[in-house]
Amino acid sequence: MSIVFESTIKMVENSRTEWYIELKDTINGTIEICSDLQEYSKKIEELGKLHGGIIDEVKWSKDVNVHPIIIDNIRFEMSNLQRELEDEIGEPLINGEKH
């Protein structure tokens, strides 16, 4: 059985700038709400530990009301977090990538 998580970017109700990520473990149905990428990183690691640290896939989506600028900002933040992790562990997180 594949360990698949679903990550959906959503807007806080009645806000045009505040977002969150709904993280769902499709195996047991657990849903976590993450207000930023640091919290998301922590929660996905915790959920992954429930499956022996193995995550086969993370499916990303967004609600229709999420503006492209929000997505760009999240991608930029994710890129920075990836770079920090790679510097910390001394190797690329994705095989074949080099800084």
Side-chain angles (χ1 to χ4, degrees), residues 3-53:
I3 309 301
V4 179
F5 291 166
E6 294 175 349
S7 299
T8 307
I9 301 168
K10 298 183 173 203
M11 298 302 293
V12 171
E13 191 172 337
N14 298 321
S15 176
R16 301 178 101 190
T17 58
E18 295 179 71
W19 55 270
Y20 64 95
I21 301 172
E22 182 181 274
L23 173 60
K24 181 179 181 182
D25 179 338
T26 62
I27 301 299
N28 62 23
T30 301
I31 295 177
E32 297 285 347
I33 303 300
C34 308
S35 60
D36 58 33
L37 288 173
Q38 287 76 19
E39 185 176 4
Y40 176 83
S41 178
K42 184 178 178 181
K43 294 287 184 183
I44 201 165
E45 184 176 350
E46 290 171 5
L47 290 177
K49 284 181 183 177
L50 298 175
H51 303 290

Side-chain angles (χ1 to χ4, degrees), residues 54-84:
I54 297 170
I55 301 170
D56 295 307
E57 182 180 2
V58 177
K59 293 182 179 181
W60 282 92
S61 64
K62 66 174 187 68
D63 278 354
V64 295
N65 65 337
V66 178
H67 194 279
I69 290 173
I70 300 289
I71 300 300
D72 287 345
N73 289 337
I74 293 171
R75 283 186 182 133
F76 180 75
E77 287 183 45
M78 289 177 82
S79 177
N80 286 338
L81 284 174
Q82 179 180 343
R83 208 170 9 264
E84 288 173 17

